């Protein structure tokens, strides 16, 4: 005859506490995923809707009630964009937008990184005052600078040129403020070690500061590219020739005086969103890291 020892049981109070904690954890997890689902619908939904509408015929796109999925998917809208390239150079608009946004992004990175490093790591008189003046411009509405920028571009002879889209706004305060916060977090030991090894200030900036600031630089690159790519008002003011327009400004010409071909409009809008999505897919890891790290220290 064998004797068995009963397994110890937790007190009732501990059992109920553990069950409640598990229930709260499940509820929090469910709420988290529900919130992610809602945000996905809010941000991805319009892009999906544009693509599905671009695959419809014009009568189906304007039907009431609207349909979600196209009954007979067709690529006629995208073929229409290519056919319109004679009178409405859509491909040329796409190239103009891509070139302007890329050059603007590179100019922003150069101007913001040099200014931010100087304000964060160099010691000179009135450094705090200069930074305060730069940050204060963030509180001024951008529309106020529309007429002064136009007059400057006119004096420089840049109206109806690509430089009218690239240069204005390249030395904006946000990029300086964003990168300055990141450069201020770099350990002083890195700079001191480089100075001991005989490096000058430019070598420290290019070989130490910039490589360590890749997440912040990638974040600023995406934001500046997106801002220039989506700009609608400024290109209308400074560009006059149809072949020099950017894609957002040119797509408005596809809207007729009495009728609108919605599938073609949605096809153009979807094409305009593709480069930004591709850029974010390749840089999302750096963007998330850059936003997280730049907020750790003021």
């Amino acid at each position: 005859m064998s004797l068995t020892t009963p397994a110890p049981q937790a007190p009732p109070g501990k059992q109920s506490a553990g069950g409640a904690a598990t229930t709260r954890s499940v509820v929090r997890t469910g709420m988290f995923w529900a919130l992610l689902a809602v945000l996905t619908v809010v941000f991805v939904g319009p892009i999906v809707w544009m693509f599905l509408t671009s695959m419809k015929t014009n009568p189906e796109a304007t039907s009431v009630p609207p349909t979600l999925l196209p009954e007979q998917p067709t690529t006629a809208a995208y073929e229409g964009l290519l056919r319109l390239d004679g009178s409405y150079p859509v491909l040329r608009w796409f190239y103009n937008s891509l070139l302007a946004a890329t050059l603007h992004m590179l100019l922003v990175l150069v101007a913001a990184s040099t200014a931010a490093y100087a304000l964060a790591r160099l010691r000179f008189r009135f450094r705090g005052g200069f930074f305060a003046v730069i940050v204060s411009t963030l509180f001024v509405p951008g529309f106020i600078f529309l007429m002064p920028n136009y007059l400057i571009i006119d004096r420089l002879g840049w109206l109806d040129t690509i430089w009218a889209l690239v240069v204005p706004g390249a030395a904006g305060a946000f990029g300086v403020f964003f990168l300055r916060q990141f450069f201020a977090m770099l350990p002083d030991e890195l700079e001191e070690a480089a100075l001991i090894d005989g490096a000058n200030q430019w070598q420290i900036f290019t070989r130490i500061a910039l490589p360590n600031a890749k997440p912040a630089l990638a974040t600023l690159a995406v934001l500046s590219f997106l801002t220039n790519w989506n700009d609608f008002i400024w290109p209308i003011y400074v560009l006059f020739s149809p072949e020099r327009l950017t894609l957002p400004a040119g797509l408005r010409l596809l809207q007729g005086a009495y009728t609108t071909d919605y599938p073609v409009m949605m096809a153009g809008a979807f094409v305009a969103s593709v480069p930004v999505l591709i850029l974010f897919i390749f840089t999302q890891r750096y963007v998330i890291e850059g936003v997280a790290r730049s907020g750790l220290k003021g």
Side-chain angles (χ1 to χ4, degrees), residues 50 54 77 81 251-255 260-270:
M50 286 191 304
S54 68
L81 283 179
L251 288 178
R252 68 184 177 90
L253 300 179
L254 300 181
Q255 183 175 356
T260 301
D261 193 335
Y262 287 101
V264 173
M265 289 286 294
M266 292 298 103
F270 180 75

Side-chain angles (χ1 to χ4, degrees), residues 41-105:
V41 172
V42 170
F43 290 101
V44 181
I47 299 176
V48 176
W49 180 264
M50 286 191 304
F51 175 73
L52 294 177
T53 304
S54 68
M55 302 296 291
K56 299 177 183 178
T57 60
N58 197 46
E60 185 182 359
T62 57
S63 62
V64 180
T67 59
L68 178 61
L69 299 176
E71 297 179 358
Q72 296 179 347
T74 176
T75 59
Y78 296 94
E79 296 172 1
L81 283 179
L82 297 179
R83 286 197 303 269
L84 289 172
D85 201 57
S87 54
Y88 299 100
V90 179
L91 296 181
R92 180 68 183 182
W93 297 341
F94 183 89
Y95 171 77
N96 292 341
S97 292
L98 187 62
L99 179 62
T102 302
L103 292 177
H104 178 78
M105 175 189 68

Side-chain angles (χ1 to χ4, degrees), residues 78-284:
Y78 296 94
E79 296 172 1
L81 283 179
L82 297 179
R83 286 197 303 269
L84 289 172
D85 201 57
S87 54
Y88 299 100
V90 179
L91 296 181
R92 180 68 183 182
W93 297 341
F94 183 89
Y95 171 77
N96 292 341
S97 292
L98 187 62
L99 179 62
T102 302
L103 292 177
H104 178 78
M105 175 189 68
L106 295 176
L107 192 57
V108 167
L109 292 179
V110 172
S113 61
T114 51
Y117 180 79
L119 292 171
R121 311 300 299 185
L122 302 184
R123 301 292 182 265
F124 54 90
R125 294 182 62 185
F126 308 116
R127 184 183 64 164
F130 285 131
F131 182 65
V133 171
I134 293 174
V135 172
S136 65
T137 61
L138 291 172
F139 301 97
V140 181
F143 191 78
I144 294 179
F145 298 108
L146 187 63
M147 186 54 66
N149 284 337
Y150 180 88
L151 294 176
I152 294 174
I153 294 300
D154 185 23
R155 292 291 182 89
L156 293 174
W158 287 351
L159 289 178
D160 204 25
T161 66
I162 191 68
W163 301 113
L165 307 176
V166 174
V167 177
F174 174 77
V176 177
F177 171 76
F178 183 77
L179 290 182
R180 187 261 180 192
Q181 302 301 100
F182 199 94
F183 285 136
M185 295 177 359
L186 295 178
D188 295 335
E189 290 77 8
L190 292 177
E191 187 173 347
E192 293 171 357
L195 290 173
I196 294 174
D197 290 339
N200 56 38
Q201 204 66 57
W202 177 253
Q203 292 172 329
I204 295 174
F205 171 65
T206 56
R207 299 182 182 181
I208 296 178
L210 289 183
N212 282 280
K214 284 182 180 179
L217 293 173
T219 304
L220 183 59
V222 172
L223 294 177
S224 58
F225 185 94
L226 181 62
T227 300
N228 189 276
W229 179 271
N230 290 334
D231 197 2
F232 176 75
I233 299 297
W234 180 247
I236 294 177
Y237 273 88
V238 298
L239 300 178
F240 314 120
S241 305
E243 68 275 6
R244 297 184 184 274
L245 291 176
T246 57
L247 193 56
L251 288 178
R252 68 184 177 90
L253 300 179
L254 300 181
Q255 183 175 356
Y258 302 101
T259 59
T260 301
D261 193 335
Y262 287 101
V264 173
M265 289 286 294
M266 292 298 103
F270 180 75
V271 169
S273 65
V274 169
V276 178
L277 295 176
I278 295 176
L279 179 64
F280 181 76
I281 289 174
F282 283 101
T283 60
Q284 60 176 331

Side-chain angles (χ1 to χ4, degrees), residues 13-28:
K14 291 186 177 181
Q15 289 181 352
S16 59
T22 303
T23 303
R24 286 195 298 269
S25 177
V26 172
V27 171
R28 284 196 298 266

